[in-house]
Amino acid sequence: KQKPERLQIKQGLPIDLQPDRRMQNLDVLYAQAVAVYPLLLTKVQSWASSCGGKFPVGSDGGEFRKWEKWEVLKLDKQLQNQIQWPKLKSVDRSIAKLSRSYRNDVSRLVDVCRQTVTFETVGELKKCLDTIWMDSDIEIVRVKNRLDPEHNSWETAGFRHCLLNIRIVTDWSKSMGLSGHVSEVQLVPESIMALKGENGHKRYIVYRNMLST
């Protein structure tokens, strides 16, 4: 498939879900997410390798220790075992979002399978965004550019990042009925993640629940 030479970031592109691709069964959605997870993991590792992307590394006790570049991690098996990869969104959290915000429309759950990559500079982040855009296996469904100065950071409790919803479209994913599954990739400046801290996401969930979003 052909794409423009560079991605022009736009705020909140609408999701284009054709009626025959809308997911209405939560069990099937999670079954797809389990199968898509290793595909997405391989993709983010590849993108991070060429763009200076980092992943969270924990201590032997499991506590977060630092963000480390994949270029370093891929050469150290011990460090790889300490990477704190995101888990699938919990079923409880998904059900809460469905009932509070999505009117029980399962197709609006587009972040059950997700990954996060951090970067030391916005330039590296933009390079990764361009790399994703040019990846022939990726269909970008939506972009939320919360790094845009015009973004109202009150809506996200001060958190800023570039969020992409994507489909992985390969011959294998199509043959397995997975090419319609929408995953989430967050590209985040490391300085923002440092401000967020270990408990930041928990506080954000409380904030979102208060707003019923």
Side-chain angles (χ1 to χ4, degrees), residues 1 11 24 28 68 76 96 107 118 126 131 137 164 180 213:
K1 59 184 178 181
Q11 179 68 28
Q24 296 298 334
V28 174
E68 185 61 82
D76 191 321
S107 70
T118 67
K126 180 59 167 63
T131 300
D137 293 339
L164 295 88
T213 59

Side-chain angles (χ1 to χ4, degrees), residues 127-174:
K127 181 180 178 182
C128 186
L129 194 58
D130 287 334
T131 300
I132 296 171
W133 181 251
M134 296 305 297
D135 191 323
S136 60
D137 293 339
I138 298 301
E139 177 185 335
I140 297 179
V141 178
R142 177 174 64 177
V143 178
K144 289 185 176 181
N145 180 20
R146 290 168 176 158
L147 296 174
D148 189 328
E150 296 183 1
H151 167 66
N152 181 3
S153 61
W154 283 99
E155 297 176 358
T156 50
F159 190 67
R160 289 181 178 271
H161 59 178
C162 185
L163 183 151
L164 295 88
N165 291 115
I166 65 171
R167 297 187 180 104
I168 301 177
V169 184
T170 65
D171 290 341
W172 186 84
S173 69
K174 287 188 285 188

Side-chain angles (χ1 to χ4, degrees), residues 75-109:
L75 301 176
D76 191 321
K77 292 294 184 181
Q78 183 175 354
L79 282 178
Q80 287 181 38
N81 292 331
Q82 296 175 338
I83 299 175
Q84 297 176 329
W85 299 113
K87 299 177 181 179
L88 297 182
K89 179 184 285 294
S90 73
V91 174
D92 287 347
R93 176 60 181 155
S94 291
I95 291 174
K97 290 188 74 172
L98 284 172
S99 61
R100 292 174 180 169
S101 307
Y102 295 162
R103 297 182 180 180
N104 295 320
D105 184 354
V106 175
S107 70
R108 296 183 65 183
L109 282 173

Side-chain angles (χ1 to χ4, degrees), residues 6-59:
R6 297 182 68 83
L7 171 63
Q8 300 298 316
I9 305 176
K10 295 183 179 180
Q11 179 68 28
L13 296 178
I15 290 184
D16 177 20
L17 291 174
Q18 299 175 8
D20 62 341
R21 300 177 75 176
R22 291 176 69 89
M23 174 59 62
Q24 296 298 334
N25 186 296
L26 189 60
D27 290 337
V28 174
L29 179 69
Y30 268 84
Q32 288 184 345
V34 169
V36 168
Y37 188 93
L39 303 181
L40 182 61
L41 188 62
T42 299
K43 280 297 183 184
V44 295
Q45 290 171 353
S46 173
W47 301 330
S49 182
S50 62
C51 304
K54 293 184 173 185
F55 299 108
V57 177
S59 65

